[in-house]
């Protein structure tokens, strides 16, 4: 996965996915993402990536542009800052994992969920 692929996804595919979500669906996604199982898996993957970023000297701000673009796209379409934060964090994690060359099955599944047109939440 290349950073350019992710940028294109945010600009082209993500708005289509978001446009199909009702307010109720967004609330359901937020509730599911707040579940301990999902958040623990997310944090485990995040910690693995952050450890590698430190070891490889990758700046903490490496994924900032991707995250900002994702956040603004989600907020503009859904008006949900919580969903925007979750999705921008996801894309930051995905691009950072790619940068440090981590092949994490959970992060791969997270990205695949987006590519399948779904916001990951379980």
């Amino acid at each position: 996965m290349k950073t350019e692929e992710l940028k294109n996804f945010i600009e082209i595919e993500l708005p289509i996915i978001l446009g199909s979500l009702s307010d109720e669906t967004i609330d359901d996604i937020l509730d599911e993402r707040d579940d301990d199982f999902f958040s623990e898996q997310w944090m485990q993957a995040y910690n693995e990536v952050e450890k590698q970023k430190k070891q490889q000297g990758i700046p903490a701000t490496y994924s900032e542009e991707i995250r900002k673009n994702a956040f603004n796209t989600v907020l503009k379409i859904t008006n949900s800052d919580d969903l925007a934060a979750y999705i921008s964090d996801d894309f930051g994690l995905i691009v950072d994992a790619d940068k440090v060359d981590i092949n994490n099955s959970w992060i791969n599944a997270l990205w695949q969920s987006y590519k399948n047109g779904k916001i990951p939440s379980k």
Side-chain angles (χ1 to χ4, degrees):
M1 195 272 309
K2 304 276 188 270
T3 302
E4 200 59 39
E5 177 186 2
L6 197 54
K7 286 179 182 179
N8 288 336
F9 185 88
I10 291 168
E11 290 175 16
I12 298 165
E13 302 298 325
L14 188 57
I16 295 168
I17 296 168
L18 296 170
S20 69
L21 301 178
S22 68
D23 289 344
E24 184 179 306
T25 302
I26 291 171
D27 289 342
D28 291 344
I29 290 169
L30 294 174
D31 288 343
E32 291 169 0
R33 289 192 62 124
D34 285 340
D35 183 73
D36 286 344
F37 180 76
F38 186 91
S39 61
E40 286 171 10
Q41 296 289 335
W42 199 98
M43 285 306 299
Q44 192 172 37
Y46 172 81
N47 288 333
E48 179 183 349
V49 169
E50 287 301 302
K51 181 179 175 184
Q52 284 301 311
K53 281 174 62 179
K54 258 188 187 172
Q55 289 177 354
Q56 295 179 26
I58 307 296
T61 58
Y62 175 76
S63 61
E64 191 171 302
E65 180 185 343
I66 291 274
R67 294 169 55 91
K68 184 178 177 182
N69 288 344
F71 185 91
N72 289 335
T73 297
V74 176
L75 188 60
K76 181 178 165 185
I77 294 169
T78 67
N79 204 31
S80 171
D81 54 352
D82 290 334
L83 186 63
Y86 280 139
I87 291 175
S88 68
D89 286 348
D90 288 351
F91 286 119
L93 179 63
I94 292 165
V95 77
D96 284 349
D98 185 58
K99 177 67 174 175
V100 297
D101 201 27
I102 286 180
N103 186 13
N104 176 295
S105 61
W106 195 85
I107 296 172
N108 294 341
L110 187 76
W111 176 225
Q112 192 61 48
S113 182
Y114 280 107
K115 290 188 343 183
N116 290 338
K118 298 185 181 200
I119 307 299
S121 61
K122 292 183 182 185

